[in-house]
Amino acid sequence: MNIKKSIVIRVRLAYLVICVFACAIVYKICMIQFVDGEKWKAISNERRIFYKPVFATRGNIYSDNESILATSLPFYRVAFDPTIAETKAFNSGIDSLAMLLSRFYGDRSEDYYRRKIKNARLAGRQYIRLNSRQINYQDKKRMSGWPIFREGKNKGGVIFEKVEKRFKPFGLLAERTIGFINEDKNGAGLEYSFNNNLSGTDGEALFERIAGGSKPIYDGTEIEPQNGLDIKTTIDINLQDVAENALYKALEKTDAAYGTVILMEVKTGEIKAMANLGKTKGGYIEDYNYAVGAQGRTEPGSTFKLASMMALFEQSPGVNLTDTIDTGNGRYKIKNTYMTDAKHGGYGKITVQEVFEKSSNIGIAKLMEAHFSNNQQAFVDYLDKFGLGNTLGFQMEGEARPFIKSPQDRAWYGTTLTSMSIGYETKLSPLQTLAYYNAVANNGKKIQPIIVKEIRKSDKVIQSFKTRTLVEKVCSDETLKKVKTMLEGVVEHGTARSIRSAEYKIAGKTGTARKVKDGKYVREYSTSFAGYFPADNPKYSCIVIIDSPQGVNVYGSDVAAPVFKELADKAYARDLEMHKPLHARVTPEKYTLPQVTAGSLDDLSTICNRLGISSHPKTNDEEWVKVKTNARSLDFVPNPVMEGKVPDVTGLTLRDALFILGNQQLKVNVQGVGKRVQKQSLEAGTQINKVKQITIVLS
C-alpha cells in the first residue's frame, strides 16, 4: 500500500469517528432537552430557589438602673430589581433616580448609575446592589420617595436589606464585661455568655439565585424572626466608671502589666463594678477579663493568709489573738530553703493578731508547722470546706478552675504546707478570692456572685436570677469573730493603715506575691487588696489586683489598697443606706398619670389604650410626639424630625434618642444616668451640616 492510499484511509477513519462523536452529542442534547427536560427543569428550580435566614434583632443589655449598655441600631443596604418597574414608569424616572443616587452617594456620576441600571434591565438581571455603603433609617425613608423607588418593592423593585449594628452608649465602659460575639459565634463577656437569649430566633424567607447575588421572594411563606430577649445586669455605671478611672490611674502611675477591680454587694452577691485593663502600645484597654478568666488566675500571696488563719482557728480553737510567737530576725529556715519577712531584721516576738496585721510570713509558717505538720491533709480539708477548691458557677463563660494542692500530689514537697499558707503553690482567680472574703463579711455564708438579674421581653420578666448559697457556714462564730478583728486590725494598725477612714471602717488584707518566670520566682510582683466596708455593717466587698507594677513602692499597700480606698469612698458617699437618711413622707396624689414627656406616637398610643388612659393625638402624620399632661388625660403634640436639622430629643428614652440622632448622622456622647434625656448640647433646629457631634444628658 502506497503512502497516499494510507493517508486517505486514516483521514476517512478520523472523519468517521468525528461524525459518530457529533451524533452522540446531538443525541444527548435531544435526550436532555426533550426526554429528560422536565426532570432537569425541576432540579434547576430547586437549586435556584432556596430558603435563607432572616436575622432577628439582638436584645439589649441594661445596667442595674436600666441604662442601656448595649443595643442594636438598624441600617440598610440598597439593592434594586430593575426588571420589575413598568416601562413607562422606568423611562420617566430613570434620569431623576440616577441623579439622586449620584448626589446622595457622591462617589459616581449620574451617567454611571443610569448605565448600571439600564444595562441590568436589558440583561434581565433581577438583583443589583446600587452601593455597598449602609444608610440609616432616615435615609431609607427619604429614598422611599424617589422616582421608581416610590412604587415600592413589588412595583418599583427597590430592596432595602436590613443590617444591624451593635452600639454601646457609654463607649468603652465595662467593655470586656459586656463583651462581644463575632460571625462565627465566638466571643467573650455577657454578649457571648447570654447569646442564646440575646440573639433571638432567626426567621426564614424564600430567595432566588440570580446574576450578581440573590433577591427575596415574598410569597407569604416567610417566617418572621423572633427578636432577642433583653438582659438586666447588676452593674452600676457610676461605680463602674469610678472603678475604671481609679484603676487606670494606678496602672499608668506604676506602668503595670494589667489590673482588675471587682465590687460586690455583700448580701446579694450582685457585682456592681468589674473593671479589667491590660497594657498595650496605646495605653490600657479592656483586653481580657482578668477578674474571671485563666490569665487572671495567679498565686494570691498574702490575701490567702486569711484562709490559713481561719483553718488554724478551726483546728485549734484555743489559739487566741493575744498569744505570742517569736518570728526571730526575719529569716527562717524550712527544710533546705529560707523564708523571710518584709521588715529587715524581723519583727521579733509578736502576737497572733500582729502576725496578721504585719503580714509576717515567718509567723504564719510557724503557726502552720505547730498545728498542721503532723496532719497536713487537715489543712487542705479546711480549704475544701471553705469552698476554695471549687468554681463558683459564675454566669459568664470562662471561669478559671482553682488550683489547690493535696498531700497526695507528686508535687507536694516538704515546704508546700508553709508555702501554701502564705499564698504560694496555689492559684485562685480574683473573683474566687473575693467570694471568700465576702463570706466573712456575710457572717460566714458564702454565696455565688451574680452579674445578671433578669432576662426580659420588653417589660415582662422571663427569668430572674438570685444568688445561691455555696457554703452555709465557712467557719464557727468564734473563728469568724477572730478573723474579722484581724482584718480590721490590718487597716487600723497594720500594712493598710494608709487607707484608714475617719468616716467608716474598712476591713481587709494586702497581698504581694512574687511572680514565676521560666520556673523561677523573680522580683516582679502581683499586688492586691481584698476586703469589705463598712466593717461594722458590711455593704460592699471589693478586690483590687495590679500585676507587675514598676518602681520603688510595689507592694499591695502602696499600689492596690489606694484604688480600693478611692472606690470605697465614692461608694460610701453616694449610698444613702450607709448614712441612714431620714425619708420625707410623700402624700400620693389621688389621680396619677404616667410620667411620660416624649416618645413614639404608636408606642404611646398603644400603652394608653392598654392602661385605659385617655389620650388625644394632635397629629397622625408625625412619628415622634411630645406629651402634655392634663388633669386626667394626655395630649400628644407633634415633635417632627426634619432632614438636615438637629431634632429635639429631650424627654425621650436613651434608645429612642440614639435611634433618631444616629439616623441624622450625629455622633452621640452620653452623660449622666437615668431613663430619659434631660437636655442636649445642640439646640433643636440647628443645621446639621455645621456640626457632627452632640452631647445628651440623662436624668
Side-chain angles (χ1 to χ4, degrees):
M1 185 183 294
N2 57 37
I3 295 175
K4 181 178 179 181
K5 189 175 181 180
S6 176
I7 292 173
V8 170
I9 291 173
R10 290 179 184 177
V11 170
R12 286 175 178 173
L13 286 173
Y15 176 75
L16 182 62
V17 170
I18 292 172
C19 287
V20 171
F21 184 70
C23 290
I25 292 174
V26 171
Y27 172 78
K28 191 65 176 177
I29 290 172
C30 291
M31 289 292 293
I32 292 173
Q33 185 70 28
F34 301 108
V35 179
D36 299 328
E38 292 303 318
K39 182 183 92 171
W40 293 113
K41 283 180 182 178
I43 293 174
S44 173
N45 288 331
E46 198 175 292
R47 294 181 177 178
R48 183 169 56 88
I49 306 298
F50 66 100
Y51 280 98
K52 185 177 178 181
V54 178
F55 297 110
T57 298
R58 195 169 180 80
N60 298 327
I61 299 177
Y62 293 97
S63 69
D64 64 343
N65 69 348
E66 300 192 11
S67 295
I68 295 177
L69 297 176
T71 188
S72 294
L73 296 179
F75 289 83
Y76 303 87
R77 293 192 187 98
V78 184
F80 188 44
D81 181 350
T83 66
I84 286 182
E86 294 181 356
T87 303
K88 183 178 178 181
F90 182 86
N91 291 337
S92 63
I94 183 60
D95 291 336
S96 298
L97 178 61
M99 177 193 69
L100 290 169
L101 288 169
S102 177
R103 289 181 179 178
F104 178 82
Y105 288 115
D107 60 344
R108 302 282 187 172
S109 65
E110 295 177 32
D111 186 55
Y112 169 82
Y113 283 104
R114 187 186 302 109
R115 280 188 289 104
K116 180 175 183 175
I117 295 171
K118 280 188 171 183
N119 290 341
R121 184 178 173 90
L122 289 172
R125 292 178 61 189
Q126 296 176 305
Y127 177 92
I128 56 171
R129 184 168 288 170
L130 295 176
N131 197 289
S132 59
R133 196 179 98 192
Q134 296 173 7
I135 64 171
N136 58 38
Y137 178 74
Q138 207 66 30
D139 292 332
K140 174 181 175 287
K141 286 183 66 177
R142 184 168 53 157
M143 280 189 172
S144 297
W146 288 0
I148 304 178
F149 286 3
R150 67 171 65 103
E151 303 297 326
K153 63 186 178 185
N154 294 326
K155 292 184 179 181
V158 64
I159 303 169
F160 292 108
E161 299 173 336
K162 190 176 180 181
V163 179
E164 302 237 339
K165 286 187 177 180
R166 208 63 172 155
F167 180 74
K168 298 176 183 177
F170 294 96
L172 301 180
L173 193 71
E175 182 180 26
R176 195 69 186 192
T177 302
I178 297 170
F180 67 94
I181 190 161
N182 58 27
E183 294 180 355
D184 298 325
K185 304 301 181 184
N186 295 319
L190 295 171
E191 293 275 21
Y192 177 69
S193 302
F194 285 82
N195 182 53
N196 289 339
N197 303 110
L198 291 166
S199 61
T201 304
D202 293 338
E204 196 174 60
L206 203 59
F207 282 75
E208 180 183 5
R209 286 191 180 91
I210 55 178
S214 60
K215 60 170 284 188
I217 300 173
Y218 299 97
D219 63 348
T221 64
E222 56 268 11
I223 301 172
E224 290 291 326
Q226 300 297 315
N227 291 338
L229 302 175
D230 302 329
I231 64 173
K232 182 179 179 180
T233 71
T234 62
I235 295 293
D236 183 315
I237 55 176
N238 282 318
L239 294 176
Q240 179 72 29
D241 188 41
V242 173
E244 289 190 16
N245 286 332
L247 181 62
Y248 191 92
K249 288 186 293 184
L251 292 172
E252 272 202 325
K253 182 179 178 181
T254 59
D255 194 27
Y258 71 82
T260 185
V261 175
I262 315 170
L263 181 72
M264 183 167 72
E265 279 191 350
V266 170
K267 301 296 183 185
T268 65
E270 293 183 4
I271 292 176
K272 311 311 290 184
M274 182 183 284
N276 297 278
L277 295 173
K279 187 177 182 181
T280 64
K281 292 181 179 179
Y284 290 92
I285 62 171
E286 291 227 354
D287 61 341
Y288 184 81
N289 196 334
Y290 300 100
V292 178
Q295 290 186 35
R297 185 188 72 162
T298 59
E299 292 177 310
S302 293
T303 55
F304 195 78
K305 291 174 181 176
L306 172 64
S308 300
M309 296 304 290
M310 186 180 286
L312 170 67
F313 295 137
E314 290 290 275
Q315 176 76 1
S316 305
V319 176
N320 296 312
L321 298 181
T322 54
D323 293 347
T324 59
I325 187 164
D326 189 2
T327 63
N329 62 0
R331 187 174 171 85
Y332 178 59
K333 187 175 182 179
I334 303 173
K335 302 297 180 181
N336 59 345
T337 63
Y338 283 91
M339 183 175 285
T340 60
D341 275 336
K343 182 183 177 182
H344 183 70
Y347 298 108
K349 184 176 286 189
I350 55 177
T351 65
V352 171
Q353 170 81 17
E354 290 174 321
V355 165
F356 195 78
E357 290 178 352
K358 299 177 186 298
S359 198
S360 169
N361 293 332
I362 295 173
I364 297 288
K366 284 191 171 184
L367 287 168
M368 291 299 106
E369 285 184 327
H371 295 271
F372 288 104
S373 60
N374 294 328
N375 188 4
Q376 298 185 28
Q377 181 63 48
F379 175 70
V380 177
D381 289 342
Y382 280 117
L383 299 183
D384 287 337
K385 177 189 173 184
F386 304 154
L388 290 172
N390 302 319
T391 57
L392 301 170
F394 191 50
Q395 291 170 309
M396 290 171 62
E397 296 287 338
E399 181 188 356
R401 181 167 293 280
F403 173 70
I404 303 290
K405 279 187 178 182
S406 170
Q408 286 73 44
D409 294 341
R410 294 180 62 184
W412 185 279
Y413 305 111
T415 57
T416 296
L417 172 67
T418 52
S419 184
M420 282 181 65
S421 70
I422 62 172
Y424 290 95
E425 296 189 46
T426 186
K427 291 184 178 182
L428 297 173
S429 73
L431 185 62
Q432 290 157 357
T433 300
L434 177 62
Y436 179 61
Y437 272 75
N438 192 82
V440 175
N442 198 26
N443 292 320
K445 180 186 284 189
K446 186 177 182 182
I447 58 176
Q448 180 188 52
I450 64 170
I451 197 168
V452 173
K453 296 173 70 172
E454 294 174 349
I455 298 175
R456 303 187 309 189
K457 184 176 183 179
S458 298
D459 292 330
K460 181 181 178 181
V461 177
I462 304 299
Q463 186 177 1
S464 59
F465 300 95
K466 290 184 179 179
T467 185
R468 64 184 180 90
T469 301
L470 300 176
V471 180
E472 189 63 42
K473 195 80 169 177
V474 293
C475 64
S476 67
D477 289 336
E478 183 182 354
T479 296
L480 199 62
K481 183 178 179 180
K482 290 177 182 178
V483 295
K484 282 185 174 182
T485 301
M486 291 193 307
L487 288 168
E488 291 179 33
V490 170
V491 180
E492 293 297 316
H493 316 289
T495 55
R497 57 187 176 275
S498 61
I499 66 168
R500 183 173 52 188
S501 173
E503 287 76 27
Y504 61 96
K505 279 189 174 184
I506 297 173
K509 183 71 183 76
T510 56
T512 308
R514 292 179 68 174
K515 293 182 68 70
V516 177
K517 286 190 175 180
D518 299 325
K520 295 181 180 179
Y521 285 101
V522 296
R523 293 200 174 275
E524 286 188 18
Y525 303 92
S526 174
T527 67
S528 57
F529 186 88
Y532 52 87
F533 63 94
D536 49 357
N537 185 23
K539 176 67 182 291
Y540 297 105
S541 60
C542 180
I543 188 169
V544 179
I545 307 287
I546 295 182
D547 188 84
S548 303
Q550 306 299 309
V552 179
N553 298 319
V554 291
Y555 296 101
S557 57
D558 304 312
V559 181
V563 177
F564 181 102
K565 179 63 162 51
E566 184 175 344
L567 181 55
D569 282 347
K570 297 290 175 59
Y572 180 82
R574 67 187 293 273
D575 196 321
L576 296 180
E577 288 184 5
M578 289 191 279
H579 295 267
K580 299 178 182 179
L582 295 174
H583 299 283
R585 289 186 178 181
V586 179
T587 304
E589 296 181 9
K590 189 173 182 181
Y591 301 105
T592 304
L593 291 171
Q595 299 296 312
V596 181
T597 54
S600 164
L601 176 60
D602 291 341
D603 291 345
L604 295 177
S605 297
T606 300
I607 292 171
C608 287
N609 290 336
R610 289 185 178 181
L611 296 179
I613 299 171
S614 177
S615 60
H616 307 291
K618 302 298 182 182
T619 179
N620 289 316
D621 297 327
E622 292 294 340
E623 182 178 356
W624 304 97
V625 294
K626 291 282 188 178
V627 180
K628 289 187 177 181
T629 305
N630 295 319
R632 298 188 181 183
S633 65
L634 301 176
D635 289 343
F636 299 150
V637 181
N639 182 26
V641 177
M642 293 180 287
E643 186 66 28
K645 292 187 177 181
V646 175
D648 181 4
V649 296
T650 55
L652 291 173
T653 62
L654 175 59
R655 186 176 187 186
D656 285 344
L658 292 172
F659 177 77
I660 293 174
L661 295 172
N663 284 333
Q664 296 290 69
Q665 302 294 330
L666 287 168
K667 183 178 180 182
V668 184
N669 293 324
V670 181
Q671 294 182 356
V673 295
K675 296 182 179 180
R676 294 187 177 270
V677 178
Q678 183 181 32
K679 56 184 177 180
Q680 58 190 67
S681 62
L682 298 177
E683 186 178 349
T686 304
Q687 289 293 332
I688 290 180
N689 58 3
K690 297 180 180 179
V691 295
K692 296 294 181 185
Q693 186 167 306
I694 186 171
T695 299
I696 57 176
V697 180
L698 303 180
S699 66

